[in-house]
Amino acid sequence: MTTLTIDGVEITVEPGSTVMQACVAAGKEIPHFCYHDRLSIAGNCRMCLVEMERSPKPIASCAMPAADGMVIRTDTPQVKKAREGVMEFLLINHPLDCPICDQGGECDLQDQAMAYGRHFSRFDEGKRAVRDKDVGPLIETIMTRCIHCTRCIRFADEIAGVEEFGAVFRGEHMEIGTYVAKAVSSELSGNMIDLCPVGALTSKPYAFVARSWELRTTETVDVLDAVGSNIRVDARGSEVLRVVPRLHDDVNEEWLSDKSRFAYDGLRRRRLDRCYVRRDGALRPASWDEAFDAIAAAAGGLEGKQIAALAGDMADCEAMTALADLMAALGSPNLDCRQDGAKLDAASRASYLFNTTIAGIEEADAILLIGANPRWEAALVNARIRKRWRRGGLKVGAIGPKVDLTYPCRHLGEGPQDLATLAAGGHAFADVLKLAERPMLIVGPGALARPDGAQVLAHARALAEATGMVAEGWKGFNVLHTAASRVGGLDLGFVPGEGGLDSAAIREGAGSGAIRLLYLLGADETGLERPEGCFVVYQGHHGDAGARVADVILPGAAYTEKHGTYVNLEGRPQRAYPATAPLGEAREDWRILRALSARLGTPLTCDTLDELRARMAERAPALAAVGEIEQAPWGDFGAAGAMDEAPFASPIEDFYRTDPITRASQTMSECSAAFVAADEAEGGASHG
């Protein structure tokens, strides 16, 4: 431990701490612009100057290592004068456009100029102007405001792994931007907006929309992937205007993927705000009573085996609990939450969890990716792997398509035969896994959402056991999900009952007439064409693929409009809260199912949200501990048998358009055109 004196108080800190960190530990506020906890130290803004005994001049506390016996003073006249001088220099070229700046009210420069600057300036020369850069459809640049803190450069290089942002020229001519005129091709680029302390980088979709003090904030969770990122939704009236990350070190740290951050405009486009019933071949507006009557008429006289239900990728646990109980009351064993057909074993919780946990990636020293593209399937998991790689000593291998993952990755093959060879010890990377102290593997949807997915799962389990991935205190077997509802649905047992049909068989039965009534709970990725002999009920919030094949549409609430529980890929239950009210006549999903069950003569026993959550905990006790991870016991899972020779392929072809919300988003359409379509036109995929 290191002991030093700060403003007359002795403080002890961890070895390797900086003087700034020691000052913060002592309760002192040190102004800064370039320093950030998760980025390398630059030491170029000089705002964090403090006085050190026997030093001829103030020191930059962010770059000075703390040492035993140091005597630091943070509030002397010399320190005050030095900070005022630094602030005066920073403001020489900064434009006086605070009244029109989107950073207004949230600006570090404003706050620190008020707290540490002078109330006047001695400079009356003309200010320098810098041409703005076009870095894509997400980030608005006003580069004259830039104070050269280089946070954006360090983030792009260290966290995002795209070396496209940097400084050009020198001295008073220095400018920050892309080296060539192009968009920043990272799935995490929006985080540079949060990092920028002065408003040089702001949100292009949010530009001139609202002021921070006009917004009503709600802390909730993201559901556009399975990471479960903690977010804050900012709304004004009935409209969501901004989504930003919240700090959660074990899940998303303080980062957020661009899809989760910028797709909010899709929440108000192509929305379902009233019921529809198909009459004379066309969907016509209807009342709730008319919609329920149509469903009751279609269900009348049907046997349980003729009824089926599929839950979509953004269904909350409360709604799935209510729908599962309704299907049981109707006598149907045909239900599935795996609408992509993934062969996951609901009987063994360890077989479908990210057992290592997201934070546990930082302990691994060897990683094998099987049919996974984490850069598109879970961008923040990919960022965590890169963070571990930057520390050194990590070896990564992949079986599947070749992609740029932002860190070195040894390509071991493309399909199941390469996995079988590795599992049999016939590849050198098997020795890498065996010799590693903390080896782990990640099985992606490209390996499981295929007919031989159960066999692939069995081979992955055998490989994990043979290479020492499953040991006391460490479980290196992980499944990478793309759907926010998947783990919760498997925990709740929203899978076929005895003699029941899975998602593929349900789709086939709907086409053949064996299934006469199909209930889609926000299920839009089924690939289902409108069946002739099957009555389809779609409950959801967007007029997407599921609504187009429906005979009755029931308008549900989006994730920003309802209370809900979601379980992320590591098995952590988290609560979502409404930021706005549901649109029009839309209702929370569980309330719709409660009302429908009464109309069908099989009323659910849960009348309140608390009762429903108690019922949910009965079905899945792990969901009762909100925010906590319950470790799953290891067991036997998968199925013996030969695997297909077809290579693994990621189900995500376009990172920016994966669900009804992002497909309705104009911003995501622009991103798709700027990045995905451009990559395809160039004959490759630079980042996916």
Side-chain angles (χ1 to χ4, degrees):
M1 301 296 286
T2 301
T3 302
L4 64 163
T5 302
I6 299 173
D7 291 340
V9 178
E10 196 172 84
I11 184 78
T12 301
V13 295
E14 293 287 338
S17 299
T18 64
V19 171
M20 176 188 281
Q21 291 169 330
C23 291
V24 171
K28 303 297 180 179
E29 182 176 340
I30 305 297
H32 60 274
F33 292 111
C34 68
Y35 176 79
H36 191 277
D37 286 342
R38 302 186 194 277
L39 302 176
S40 62
I41 295 173
N44 54 11
C45 79
R46 320 309 285 182
M47 195 65 201
C48 64
L49 295 175
V50 297
E51 189 176 324
M52 183 174 72
E53 193 174 74
R54 295 191 298 274
S55 174
K57 60 182 179 179
I59 63 167
S61 61
C62 72
M64 176 66 72
D68 279 322
M70 271 186 173
V71 178
I72 303 294
R73 297 183 181 90
T74 68
D75 55 1
T76 65
Q78 184 188 28
V79 170
K80 181 177 184 296
K81 184 178 180 180
R83 291 172 179 172
E84 288 176 349
V86 170
M87 180 60 69
E88 193 170 4
F89 273 110
L90 289 175
L91 293 176
I92 288 176
N93 286 316
H94 195 81
L96 301 176
D97 59 356
C98 295
I100 63 166
C101 178
D102 278 315
Q103 197 87 342
E106 302 171 311
C107 178
D108 290 347
L109 187 62
Q110 278 185 336
D111 296 340
Q112 294 187 37
M114 288 292 294
Y116 303 100
R118 291 190 177 99
H119 65 280
F120 62 90
S121 174
R122 293 173 289 178
F123 291 85
D124 54 11
E125 292 85 353
K127 292 179 180 288
R128 183 183 82 144
V130 180
R131 186 184 299 274
D132 296 338
K133 278 73 173 175
D134 184 2
V135 295
L138 301 178
I139 301 176
E140 182 74 30
T141 63
I142 307 92
M143 299 312 297
T144 301
R145 300 173 183 163
C146 180
I147 63 170
H148 302 163
C149 72
T150 69
R151 280 186 178 184
C152 54
I153 296 174
R154 284 175 283 150
F155 175 84
D157 179 46
E158 298 167 13
I159 308 298
V162 290
E163 299 176 356
E164 299 170 350
F165 225 61
V168 295
F169 312 126
R170 300 183 69 182
E172 65 176 335
H173 302 293
M174 178 178 170
E175 296 183 16
I176 288 177
T178 52
Y179 294 111
V180 294
K182 61 172 293 186
V184 180
S185 57
S186 169
E187 300 78 18
L188 303 173
S189 65
N191 294 288
M192 292 193 289
I193 297 169
D194 298 335
L195 290 172
C196 183
V198 298
L201 305 177
T202 59
S203 170
K204 187 172 287 188
Y206 180 69
F208 307 116
V209 170
R211 289 298 201 178
S212 59
W213 54 85
E214 299 176 324
L215 303 176
R216 182 181 65 257
T217 65
T218 304
E219 295 185 347
T220 183
V221 294
D222 172 60
V223 302
L224 299 188
D225 59 26
V227 174
S229 300
N230 284 228
I231 60 173
R232 191 191 79 214
V233 177
D234 295 340
R236 183 175 60 189
S238 62
E239 188 175 357
V240 172
L241 298 182
R242 189 169 61 172
V243 174
V244 294
R246 284 191 295 130
L247 177 66
H248 195 308
D249 284 328
D250 291 335
V251 181
N252 58 303
E253 298 183 294
E254 58 189 86
W255 315 126
L256 190 62
S257 78
D258 288 348
K259 178 167 60 176
S260 302
R261 181 189 294 268
F262 292 107
Y264 59 84
D265 65 313
L267 291 168
R268 62 179 181 267
R269 297 174 183 269
R270 300 198 298 204
R271 288 298 302 271
L272 299 172
D273 59 358
R274 63 181 307 173
C275 298
Y276 291 87
V277 174
R278 191 176 294 276
R279 299 189 184 100
D280 301 325
L283 289 168
R284 313 286 185 187
S287 66
W288 282 101
D289 286 338
E290 291 172 330
F292 285 170
D293 288 343
I295 298 171
L302 294 183
E303 299 179 16
K305 64 181 181 180
Q306 296 176 300
I307 302 172
L310 293 174
D313 291 349
M314 292 187 285
D316 56 274
C317 290
E318 288 82 357
M320 287 189 285
T321 299
L323 182 55
D325 285 350
L326 176 59
M327 295 298 291
L330 295 173
S332 173
N334 307 319
L335 66 164
D336 206 341
C337 64
R338 305 161 298 182
Q339 62 171 342
D340 62 350
K343 301 300 186 290
L344 296 164
D345 189 351
S348 173
R349 196 166 190 253
S351 72
Y352 59 82
L353 288 185
F354 203 94
N355 294 283
T356 306
T357 74
I358 297 172
I361 292 173
E362 298 186 32
E363 300 180 33
D365 51 0
I367 299 177
L368 173 65
L369 305 175
I370 303 173
N373 176 8
R375 187 167 178 184
W376 273 14
E377 294 160 2
L380 292 168
V381 169
N382 195 67
R384 191 77 74 142
I385 297 175
R386 176 174 171 79
K387 179 182 179 181
R388 171 62 188 89
W389 168 77
R390 278 180 52 81
R391 290 212 325 263
L394 176 68
K395 297 180 180 179
V396 183
I399 299 175
K402 283 186 177 181
V403 291
D404 176 11
L405 295 173
T406 73
Y407 43 83
C409 180
R410 184 176 178 181
H411 191 248
L412 308 176
E414 296 189 350
Q417 299 309 312
D418 301 293
L419 173 60
T421 300
L422 187 64
H427 196 288
F429 199 79
D431 295 330
V432 172
L433 296 173
K434 290 178 181 178
L435 294 174
E437 293 184 8
R438 298 271 182 167
M440 61 180 283
L441 62 78
I442 300 175
V443 186
L448 299 177
R450 40 189 279 155
D452 63 345
Q455 287 73 32
V456 174
L457 192 66
H459 278 77
R461 175 182 58 79
L463 175 62
E465 293 172 345
T467 53
M469 292 185 187
V470 183
E472 184 68 28
W474 178 257
K475 200 174 295 175
F477 181 90
N478 303 290
V479 174
L480 185 68
H481 296 283
T482 57
S485 66
R486 192 62 43 80
V487 173
L490 292 169
D491 281 347
L492 291 166
F494 201 96
V495 292
E498 185 176 353
L501 306 178
D502 63 9
S503 59
I506 288 172
R507 289 194 296 271
E508 183 180 345
S512 67
I515 298 297
R516 301 290 300 279
L517 174 63
L518 175 59
Y519 202 102
L520 302 178
L521 179 60
D524 292 278
E525 320 303 326
T526 61
L528 185 70
E529 298 294 333
R530 186 163 183 272
E532 292 296 329
C534 180
F535 189 89
V536 179
V537 180
Y538 176 77
Q539 179 179 326
H541 42 77
H542 276 74
D544 203 74
R548 286 195 288 271
V549 301
D551 295 286
V552 171
I553 294 175
L554 305 177
Y559 75 102
T560 56
E561 301 163 359
K562 62 183 176 181
H563 295 86
T565 302
Y566 295 90
V567 187
N568 76 343
L569 52 81
E570 56 187 353
R572 185 191 305 272
Q574 299 183 109
R575 290 274 164 83
Y577 299 94
T580 61
L583 294 184
E585 298 178 10
R587 297 291 182 268
E588 292 191 9
D589 291 310
W590 76 269
R591 295 183 184 277
I592 295 173
L593 290 161
R594 174 65 182 83
L596 176 61
S597 69
R599 180 63 183 84
L600 295 177
T602 54
L604 300 178
T605 58
C606 304
D607 295 324
T608 67
L609 183 61
D610 288 340
E611 291 177 353
L612 183 60
R613 284 177 171 166
R615 170 62 179 148
M616 185 173 73
E618 288 180 14
R619 295 183 66 101
L623 303 191
V626 176
E628 303 295 329
I629 297 176
E630 182 179 304
Q631 292 295 324
W634 189 251
D636 189 17
F637 52 84
M643 296 180 288
D644 196 337
E645 295 184 0
F648 299 136
S650 174
I652 297 180
E653 298 178 354
D654 185 344
F655 169 77
Y656 299 98
R657 295 166 60 82
T658 56
D659 55 77
I661 295 175
T662 54
R663 285 192 286 268
S665 167
Q666 180 63 33
T667 302
M668 292 297 98
S669 295
E670 293 173 5
C671 289
S672 179
F675 301 120
V676 181
D679 286 345
E680 292 175 352
E682 293 174 5
S686 65
H687 60 292

